Amino acid sequence: MAGRIAVIGSCMIDLVTYVTRMPEAGETLVAPSFEMGFGGKGANQAVACARLGSEVMMLAKVGDDDFGANTLRNFAAEGIDCRFVERVSGVSSGVAPIFVEPDGQNRILIVTGANDRLLPADIDRAAAALSGSALILLQLEVPLETVYHAIAWAKRHEIPVLLNPAPANPALALEHLREARFFVPNQSELSLLTGLPTDTAEAAAAAARTLLAAGLASVIVTLGGEGALWVSGDETRLIPPLAVTAVDTTGAGDAFIGGFAHHYVETGDIDAALIAASRYAAQSITARGTQRSFPSATAFAAFCAQIPASPPA
Ligand code: RIB
């Protein structure tokens, strides 16, 4: 199994401030440093797949500002097919002010800008290019009607979909999610969708099971420092985390999804893809930045080679 991965999603410019702590209301604080980089959940997942060696195409909208022009240059430099990344005049590109605390935890605001202009008609226009895809990746930083249209389009063309319901959106309707092959929320997204607690792995597994009962095919819950859960059919499995020192967790979920998508499309082996995804995300949090922290295939292979083999069961 191998083939092209298509990402239908967002692009942002990440404006990352590293803080010693968040200011109180009315307080002004000096922060130690600032970095700007390429982000957006769609673009991040596309870049992770491409860095690992996948053939990737991106469908997105950017503004007619410098951020939009630079985003297009970045996709080209990463070897991503960006024929369907269009510039919209009179609208800003998406931007994301991000604050990272000393323990690596992040807080993110998004201004969606041109991402709001990615519409169902854009998918129809790109249909010929999309139709050869082995997997389509979707997130929720573009309009929901576009996400629903993409899922329905992919079903008609028998292309599996991975939907990452991020950021959490209370308007997300379960009825549209049944056709997704993989549904990949984090704990808070899963809790919002199910109305159930998800603060432990057991609680998250129980919440994910309610989605299977409602007709979803399989759920992968990312648990941050606790690893990830695979919930499908009768199976519930914890993919344990890799112990690393977190420097910056921004984009770790996107690294996980890119790592999973690349390895799944390359091998068809879900178990191996989950382990690789967890390792790729772990390596990404050991460095600053979003896409900047995503390792190349060579750097990832070197990282994996240092992981001690687990003792035989
Ligand atoms: O998942 C991390 C991403 O969320 C950041 O790159 C930011 O742009 C927001 O989209």
Side-chain angles (χ1 to χ4, degrees), residues 12 14 39-41 44 96 98 108 110 141 250-251 254 290:
M12 307 275 176
D14 288 353
K41 295 179 196 301
N44 294 345
I98 298 176
I108 304 179
I110 57 169
E141 287 179 334
T250 314
D254 300 327
T290 313

Side-chain angles (χ1 to χ4, degrees), residues 41-42 45 106 108 110 138-141 144 162-174 177 182-199 203-205 207-208 210-211 216 219-224 249 251-254 256-257:
K41 295 179 196 301
Q45 293 172 20
N106 63 75
I108 304 179
I110 57 169
L138 299 167
Q139 319 74 28
L140 302 185
E141 287 179 334
L144 276 181
L162 182 157
L163 173 61
N164 169 218
N169 184 338
L172 184 66
L174 206 58
L177 312 183
F182 303 106
F183 184 69
V184 191
N186 67 15
Q187 282 160 287
S188 56
E189 291 148 6
L190 179 62
S191 181
L192 182 77
L193 189 66
T194 59
L196 294 169
T198 55
D199 44 344
T210 67
L211 295 182
L216 270 70
V219 182
I220 301 169
V221 191
T222 54
L223 304 171
T249 58
D254 300 327
F256 181 95
I257 288 167

